[in-house]
Amino acid sequence: MAEAIPVSLTRTDSGWQLLRDGEPYFIRGAGGSESLPELVAAGGNSIRTWDAEGIDTLLDDAHSLGLTVAVGIWLGHERHGFDYDDPKQVADQFARAKRLVEQHKDHPAVLLWGVGNEMEGFDQGDNPRIWTAVNEVAAMIKEIDPHHPTMTVTTFVHGERVDWVHHKLPAIDIHGINAYGGAPAVPQFLADGDATKPYLLSEFGPQGTWEVGKTDWGAAIEPTSTEKAQQYQRHYDAAIGSQTGKALGGYAFVWGNKVEGTPTWFGMWLRDGARLASVDVMQSIWRGEPPANPAPAVTPLSLDGLDKVDPGELIEVTVEASDDDALRAQWSISYDTLDNMTGGDYRPLWPALEDAIIVSELERAEIRVPDIPGPYRIFYTVYDEAGGAATANVPILVKGKPRTPMPFPVYDDGFEAMPWVPSGWMGDTAKLSVDGESTEQVYSGQHSIRMRLEGPFGWAGVAWQHPANNWGTQDGGFDLTGATALEFWARGEYGGEKIGYGVGIIGKDQNFPDSAVVKREGVTLTREWQRYRVPLKRADLSEIRTGFFITLEGRRTPITVYLDQIRYVQ
């Protein structure tokens, strides 16, 4: 039977210190659950999760590698629709947190409990009901698990956050702070707020999409991977390394790859497993020595001419790359949604446009920009022979009235290639499960969507929304003018399953409605793949915030439905 390794906080003459099994423990951590052997090799000793649901195997894997886990307990966000004025929602959340703590508290990999992550929002963080809920969960944890400290994680340290966490939440032991470009200012904010508790950087990394300059059409200017590595070092030194007795360590973000802003903004690794310079920097910090073969270095991309170009124009892009090894380069261009929102919500991975790269060289490319006006981004990745890589990109604008290129995907081959987010769950959602990377039945590619409704009877469904959880309270969506239909492929497990589907769901009574609402109901599936269409030739597609929705009609026994290749076509 698993047995907890006790963790505690102590205060010495030199300040706060975390003790694990009675020994000093300084957190050399990273956020994420990928490439864990590589984390150990780089000198890391801990990982952080944002929730505790389904982490059994992760805890076992971490422990086998000698890693600890800062286990997150997700608390609802108001911007996602959670209502802290609703006693039932708060009670259900409390009960869920208790279940998860009781489930995992005795695992030896557990280091501490992270009660919520940015649940207070991005503004002043002054809603007392949120903080009351945080403290109630933390107090419950301390009662049933006296062996691990509690932490709550805030969106930086502005507004009322320091006052609440350090002076009004007695059940919270540690202040977790998510800080990127603003990390050097954290110690001063804490001093100004008369902070009394130890802290750690629960997320730190390069400047965020909200902290950099933008083009005049709103595209964020992304630093190169070389520049980001330097930022990891500076931010660590200012907010962790120089704060002995106050900072307990930190978690670099993100040890893996995450699509947020762009496919390369926050990931310390590429999707193909290549290592970026930010990993090398963290190894130098954690081990005191750099890797034997560092990742390549790159300069920002340089355009031969203006960043606003005519449709179909041929442009030249140059860069400088350096490394001790032989290098190979990869160039691409893809659509840019200008979606620079913060908060870690799902972001789409846009496919590279085919046949756009006319000349591809190590430090130079000639690119034929699309004929369709709108914002795009040119990406450059260079690889060495030892698994290292470097990245750079530059936004461009193809002049003219922006139009969305067709075909335009809702779902292609996995949940990481969607402009809309399947966040709008409806009906008997407790009976519904959705797997966006099913391999059981596939029409095209390697994955399909598998939806299962347990029943009996009732109904449930999912709406694909932009931004996530948008029921008409937020701007967003896409202009799909020119599309004549939405089409998708579907089949039932046995045949006879009934579905409804359509485009648009937000009515004119909301601040930000869908410009078109078109739906079909009572459609019966077969057990063979069939194509289904939503005709849109005469619909106003200028503001589609709900790109697709589907509902499943329950029956006495469970039903399973498969979907694939959902897209808008001309």
Side-chain angles (χ1 to χ4, degrees):
M1 182 176 178
E3 185 174 337
I5 295 177
V7 179
S8 62
L9 279 168
T10 185
R11 195 165 193 173
T12 67
D13 291 340
S14 58
W16 289 101
Q17 190 171 70
L18 199 64
L19 300 177
R20 183 170 184 257
D21 207 15
E23 298 295 326
Y25 191 90
F26 191 77
I27 297 171
R28 305 187 302 271
S33 58
E34 302 174 23
S35 304
L36 297 188
E38 288 77 9
L39 177 62
V40 174
N45 65 3
S46 188
I47 60 174
R48 179 195 168 201
T49 74
W50 286 258
D51 195 23
E53 203 76 67
I55 65 167
D56 303 74
T57 301
L58 178 61
L59 288 171
D60 291 342
D61 291 345
H63 184 58
S64 71
L65 291 167
L67 295 168
T68 63
V69 182
V71 181
I73 301 292
W74 185 262
L75 299 185
H77 290 201
E78 291 180 306
R79 64 192 177 90
H80 293 160
F82 194 93
D83 185 0
Y84 281 89
D85 290 324
D86 183 338
K88 184 178 186 307
Q89 287 192 46
V90 173
D92 289 347
Q93 176 172 264
F94 181 93
R96 176 180 180 273
K98 184 176 182 181
R99 170 178 62 81
L100 291 170
V101 173
E102 289 175 335
Q103 180 180 348
H104 299 301
K105 66 184 178 66
D106 295 324
H107 199 288
V110 174
L111 178 69
L112 56 84
W113 298 102
V115 184
N117 180 81
E118 300 185 349
M119 62 280 136
E120 83 284 6
F122 301 134
D123 296 323
Q124 291 300 303
D126 57 358
N127 185 341
R129 292 189 182 275
I130 294 177
W131 296 115
T132 297
V134 169
N135 198 67
E136 288 175 347
V137 171
M140 172 271 294
I141 293 174
K142 297 183 81 65
E143 181 177 345
I144 65 177
D145 179 15
H147 300 300
H148 300 105
T150 59
M151 170 181 75
T152 192
V153 175
T154 64
T155 311
F156 201 55
V157 280
H158 57 297
E160 297 188 11
R161 290 162 179 79
V162 177
D163 186 39
W164 275 103
V165 175
H166 291 261
H167 303 296
K168 299 178 181 177
L169 302 184
I172 290 295
D173 300 314
I174 301 167
H175 189 176
I177 301 165
N178 292 345
Y180 291 86
V186 165
Q188 190 61 53
F189 269 96
L190 293 172
D192 292 345
D194 192 25
T196 60
K197 299 176 182 180
Y199 74 92
L200 59 86
L201 291 195
S202 37
E203 293 176 17
F204 72 93
Q207 288 176 294
T209 56
W210 61 97
E211 297 173 308
V212 298
K214 294 180 174 59
T215 66
D216 57 12
W217 64 89
I221 308 298
E222 180 175 348
T224 68
S225 60
T226 303
E227 294 169 325
K228 291 178 196 172
Q230 297 165 355
Q231 293 173 7
Y232 275 89
Q233 180 77 61
R234 288 199 301 269
H235 299 164
Y236 180 93
D237 290 345
I240 300 175
S242 63
Q243 299 300 306
T244 302
K246 298 176 183 178
L248 304 175
Y251 292 90
F253 186 88
V254 58
W255 195 264
N257 184 268
K258 186 176 192 293
V259 181
E260 186 174 348
T262 75
T264 56
W265 202 295
F266 291 105
M268 301 171 73
W269 300 77
L270 296 183
R271 293 171 60 80
D272 58 17
R275 182 190 82 255
L276 297 174
S278 53
V279 174
D280 297 348
V281 163
M282 295 315 303
Q283 176 173 327
S284 297
I285 291 171
W286 292 334
R287 287 205 175 277
E289 57 183 24
N293 194 326
V298 293
T299 62
L301 299 186
S302 177
L303 293 168
D304 181 22
L306 302 175
D307 54 6
K308 295 179 183 178
V309 297
D310 293 322
E313 184 175 339
L314 184 66
I315 63 173
E316 182 181 63
V317 190
T318 57
V319 67
E320 293 181 14
S322 58
D323 194 81
D324 292 336
D325 295 339
L327 297 174
R328 62 181 177 87
Q330 179 178 302
W331 296 86
S332 66
I333 180 173
S334 30
Y335 186 68
D336 191 357
T337 65
L338 308 182
D339 194 352
N340 301 317
M341 293 176 62
T342 62
D345 293 337
Y346 175 87
R347 294 292 179 264
L349 175 64
W350 289 90
L353 301 178
E354 297 180 0
D355 304 323
I357 310 301
I358 307 303
V359 174
S360 177
E361 298 175 354
L362 177 60
E363 296 185 329
R364 173 182 171 274
E366 292 182 14
I367 300 173
R368 180 77 65 186
V369 304
D371 292 327
I372 299 175
Y376 295 86
R377 196 173 287 261
I378 297 169
F379 291 90
Y380 172 76
T381 307
V382 62
Y383 298 87
D384 66 16
E385 296 176 325
T391 63
N393 66 65
V394 63
I396 64 170
L397 183 70
V398 178
K399 292 184 286 188
K401 184 178 180 181
R403 289 186 290 122
T404 304
M406 297 290 164
F408 190 77
V410 176
Y411 174 93
D412 188 8
D413 194 27
F415 272 1
E416 290 190 340
M418 299 185 299
W420 290 276
V421 185
S423 55
W425 286 46
M426 306 172 286
D428 298 328
T429 56
K431 301 176 182 178
L432 180 67
S433 61
V434 179
D435 179 2
E437 295 188 346
S438 172
T439 57
E440 292 182 17
Q441 299 289 338
V442 176
Y443 173 74
S444 175
Q446 298 181 329
H447 304 101
S448 68
I449 300 172
R450 179 184 185 270
M451 301 180 66
R452 183 173 177 84
L453 181 61
E454 293 298 335
F457 304 111
W459 71 278
V462 178
W464 272 250
Q465 300 169 314
H466 183 272
N469 303 287
N470 185 10
W471 296 99
T473 58
Q474 306 175 69
D475 200 0
F478 299 92
D479 183 352
L480 301 173
T481 301
T484 60
L486 177 137
E487 64 178 27
F488 65 98
W489 291 79
R491 59 158 290 173
E493 185 176 26
Y494 300 110
E497 298 87 352
K498 288 192 174 183
I499 64 171
Y501 56 85
V503 172
I505 205 170
I506 307 170
K508 303 296 184 184
D509 58 327
Q510 298 298 316
N511 292 332
F512 300 100
D514 285 303
S515 57
V517 176
V518 184
K519 59 184 178 180
R520 291 195 62 190
E521 298 176 340
V523 176
T524 302
L525 301 180
T526 71
R527 63 180 305 173
E528 304 296 331
W529 285 104
Q530 302 283 342
R531 186 180 68 169
Y532 298 86
R533 288 172 60 88
V534 181
L536 299 170
K537 195 170 184 179
R538 298 180 181 177
D540 176 4
L541 303 179
S542 59
E543 293 181 315
I544 300 300
R545 298 178 174 88
T546 311
F548 174 69
F549 71 85
I550 182 168
T551 58
L552 278 57
E553 184 179 323
R555 56 191 183 192
R556 188 177 300 277
T557 56
I559 68 168
T560 302
V561 168
Y562 299 91
L563 309 173
D564 208 346
Q565 203 176 82
I566 310 170
R567 60 183 186 174
Y568 287 82
V569 297
Q570 267 183 323

